[in-house]
Amino acid sequence: MSELQHEVSELERRSATAARLFDVRRIIGGLFVVYGVLVTVAGLTASDADLKKAQGINVNLWTGLGMFVLGAAFLVWLRLRPIAPPAAVDDPAPQDGQEAGRDAAG
């Protein structure tokens, strides 16, 4: 394998890694999981006065659990359907005096 081909394949690998790293599903899922855990802990430690304000419903607990489930769903979705690496597009070389990207009529 020539040096240029090796360099191109390395850049393609880095590009695919960066695309997977900054996938919006990872960011949203991670944030929802972290905030879900924090709000769930706040719900587990709620006082009787907090519950009385919310008419006996532990809003923090249920909201935190919902956020955690939503974040976990995003992360599972990311795991089951990862981003496919971009397909390599071969650019044909110009033939018979034609410029690249122009047809015979243009």
Side-chain angles (χ1 to χ4, degrees):
M1 183 183 270
S2 73
E3 182 63 32
L4 180 62
Q5 289 174 335
H6 179 58
E7 187 174 331
V8 167
S9 65
E10 178 66 23
L11 287 174
E12 287 176 345
R13 186 189 61 78
R14 285 184 187 175
S15 175
T17 301
R20 282 191 303 272
L21 182 63
F22 293 110
D23 187 2
V24 72
R25 296 175 292 179
R26 180 183 311 265
I27 296 167
I28 291 173
L31 285 174
F32 267 96
V33 166
V34 169
Y35 289 137
V37 167
L38 293 175
V39 174
T40 301
V41 169
L44 291 173
T45 60
S47 66
D48 290 334
D50 293 334
L51 293 176
K52 188 175 182 181
K53 285 183 202 177
Q55 299 178 352
I57 299 171
N58 196 340
V59 177
N60 285 338
L61 178 65
W62 289 109
T63 303
L65 289 173
M67 291 173 71
F68 182 80
V69 168
L70 179 66
F74 268 90
L75 296 176
V76 167
W77 178 25
L78 176 70
R79 183 81 166 159
L80 294 177
R81 293 280 189 163
I83 293 178
V89 178
D90 293 330
D91 195 19
Q95 298 173 0
D96 299 331
Q98 293 178 354
E99 293 181 26
R102 301 181 85 190
D103 60 3

